[in-house]
Amino acid sequence: GMSGIISADSAAFRKKRTGLKKCSSMKMRCSANAHSRPQRLQGNMSGKRHGYPQRRKKGTGKMRVLEAKFVQGFMRMADDGWNQGWHERNGGNLTYRIKKEETESIREELSEDGEWKEIGTAVPALAGEYFLVTGSGKYFRNVMSDPEDSIAVIELDDKGENYRICWGLVNGGRPTSELPSHLMNHEVKMQATGGKHRVIYHAHTTNVIALTFVLPLKDEVFTRELWEMATECPVVFPDG
């Protein structure tokens, strides 16, 4: 009886010991694999943990443009305006003159097959420039949820008289109907500021609209009133 118990215990011990060896061997292999791919694991963890879009292969297009910081900032600005109540339905429009290095960062995703279309004005100083623009009839509320349908990257020709769509507006459409006035303002602002100013934003800002009914329509009057309403205003626009 005793020998049977010892024999059974010995067999169980050997089985347990064998299992420990296998487990230990697996741990060593797992540890070795983990140390051999630290950058890959860390990169994947970082992207998923923070909710960042994962980089896709060259040529897919969908995420590469949307990963660009200037595009994300444009989308956030449009969304902020909607949340402020500045854009009823398809009201308002936003355009941004893209920096050369930003254009290069998304160059491989920009199409050169788009049809050239007349701007409706001539802006020779902006010849060859690229712009990020909202679409005509598109809603600011949809820019964040469906950017490829709501916004576009456009290129101007070498005379500043025509444009073509290089990315976006995938379901058809055209840039904001106020593109001519935006581009004329961009041209003036670029020349006046040495290229510093890059954004033209048309919004229906509720409080400012209300002030137009109670204040004289003069720059200096509005400037003074806004300066007195919020201490941040003189910091944001010290020149009025």
Side-chain angles (χ1 to χ4, degrees):
M2 182 65 71
S3 61
I5 294 173
I6 293 174
S7 177
D9 287 346
S10 298
F13 177 77
R14 286 195 299 272
K15 184 176 181 181
K16 184 176 180 181
R17 185 178 179 183
T18 302
L20 288 173
K21 285 183 178 180
K22 290 181 179 179
C23 182
S24 176
S25 177
M26 287 179 66
K27 284 183 178 180
M28 289 179 67
R29 287 198 298 270
C30 290
S31 177
N33 289 339
H35 286 294
S36 66
R37 299 194 305 268
Q39 294 181 347
R40 181 180 175 184
L41 291 172
Q42 184 177 2
N44 289 343
M45 286 287 288
S46 176
K48 291 181 180 178
R49 180 178 297 173
H50 298 289
Y52 300 144
Q54 299 299 302
R55 185 172 295 277
R56 301 193 179 190
K57 293 181 180 180
K58 179 177 178 180
T60 57
K62 185 174 181 180
M63 296 305 299
R64 296 296 292 274
V65 171
L66 297 181
E67 285 176 355
K69 287 186 177 180
F70 75 93
V71 178
Q72 294 178 355
F74 185 94
M75 292 165 56
R76 186 170 61 250
M77 188 173 187
D79 193 57
D80 286 347
W82 163 255
N83 290 325
Q84 292 282 353
W86 294 350
H87 301 281
E88 71 292 342
R89 285 181 61 82
N90 61 321
N93 28 72
L94 175 63
T95 59
Y96 169 68
R97 183 167 57 86
I98 305 173
K99 298 177 181 178
K100 293 188 183 302
E101 60 269 26
E102 292 171 336
T103 301
E104 290 305 316
S105 72
I106 61 170
R107 173 76 66 182
E108 63 185 18
E109 306 301 338
L110 300 181
S111 170
E112 297 182 351
D113 300 327
E115 178 186 355
W116 289 105
K117 298 181 179 180
E118 292 184 357
I119 296 172
T121 188
V123 282
L126 298 178
E129 294 277 354
Y130 287 80
F131 291 83
L132 184 57
V133 304
T134 50
S136 178
K138 303 298 184 179
Y139 292 17
F140 268 55
R141 71 180 299 175
N142 296 332
V143 168
M144 191 65 76
S145 62
D146 195 3
E148 290 177 296
D149 174 67
S150 305
I151 63 178
V153 174
I154 65 170
E155 176 190 8
L156 304 194
D157 67 6
D158 57 2
K159 294 183 179 179
E161 297 177 356
N162 300 280
Y163 75 89
R164 64 180 174 187
I165 297 175
C166 301
W167 177 90
L169 293 176
V170 294
N171 296 313
R174 57 190 177 85
T176 170
S177 59
E178 297 185 16
L179 183 64
S181 61
H182 272 246
L183 293 179
M184 287 189 287
N185 275 279
H186 273 291
E187 186 176 48
V188 171
K189 296 294 284 184
M190 184 185 73
Q191 294 172 333
T193 66
K196 179 181 178 181
H197 287 193
R198 294 179 173 273
V199 177
I200 302 294
Y201 185 16
H202 168 199
H204 302 157
T205 49
T206 313
N207 292 346
V208 174
I209 292 173
L211 286 177
T212 65
F213 289 92
V214 296
L215 293 177
L217 301 181
K218 296 182 178 179
D219 292 349
E220 59 272 18
V221 175
F222 266 78
T223 296
R224 176 61 61 182
E225 192 70 24
L226 292 172
W227 279 353
E228 293 177 355
M229 287 172 63
T231 55
E232 292 86 356
C233 287
V235 178
V236 176
F237 49 95
D239 298 328

